[in-house]
Amino acid sequence: MTVWLIETGELARMMEQEPARNRVLLDCSWYLPEAGKHAIDDFRRGHIPGARFVDLQDISDPHSPYINMLPSAEQFGSVIGGLGIGNNTQVIVYDAGYVSARLWWMFRTFGHDNVRILNGGFRKWKA
């Protein structure tokens, strides 16, 4: 299991020592629609340096009557590719709640195995 997680200290060392040429940090924080707030606003207020934001709605099936269902490979690839992520990119996902496990699973479902979850997410990073 630890191969799929990365600790905040390890990420900090990696960011200091290795150029981020082939690594992308993705903030995938998300709120239920009823919450009346949007995670992109939180991202704009603060995030891990160099991170990019992905909205779960943008990588969910727009035709499903259910929220956050798995999209087509084409839709997922288009959004993720637009964030500068390719087949050889190391991806580290984090959030402020529970969505990072979902995004990790989505990457793996579409054949991208070089993906890890920041253990403790953004809250632990800030602490």
Side-chain angles (χ1 to χ4, degrees):
M1 183 62 152
T2 57
V3 67
W4 305 118
L5 296 176
I6 184 168
E7 297 298 327
T8 53
E10 182 182 351
L11 177 60
R13 281 188 300 280
M14 185 185 298
M15 291 170 64
E16 287 177 7
Q17 297 170 357
E18 302 171 23
R21 284 189 306 269
N22 208 24
R23 178 181 59 243
V24 171
L25 294 161
L26 276 185
D27 184 325
C28 60
S29 299
W30 180 79
Y31 296 108
L32 289 168
E34 304 84 59
K37 56 185 179 175
H38 303 282
I40 187 65
D41 297 329
D42 292 344
F43 180 81
R44 288 178 180 135
R45 282 190 289 275
H47 54 272
I48 297 174
R52 299 168 195 174
F53 181 79
V54 64
D55 190 327
L56 189 58
Q57 184 174 333
D58 293 340
I59 52 172
S60 295
D61 181 353
H63 307 294
S64 175
Y66 305 107
I67 196 165
N68 299 334
M69 293 293 103
L70 191 67
S72 67
E74 293 77 20
Q75 178 186 350
F76 186 80
S78 175
V79 172
I80 294 303
L83 292 167
I85 297 170
N87 291 335
N88 297 316
T89 306
Q90 177 188 34
V91 180
I92 299 171
V93 296
Y94 74 91
D95 61 25
Y98 59 91
V99 177
S100 57
R102 171 120 182 124
L103 187 56
W104 174 87
W105 171 79
M106 292 172 84
F107 270 101
R108 307 257 313 141
T109 296
F110 291 118
H112 191 101
D113 295 335
N114 194 3
V115 58
R116 297 172 80 184
I117 299 171
L118 180 62
N119 195 15
F122 189 57
R123 289 184 184 116
K124 187 175 177 187
W125 176 267
K126 286 191 336 183

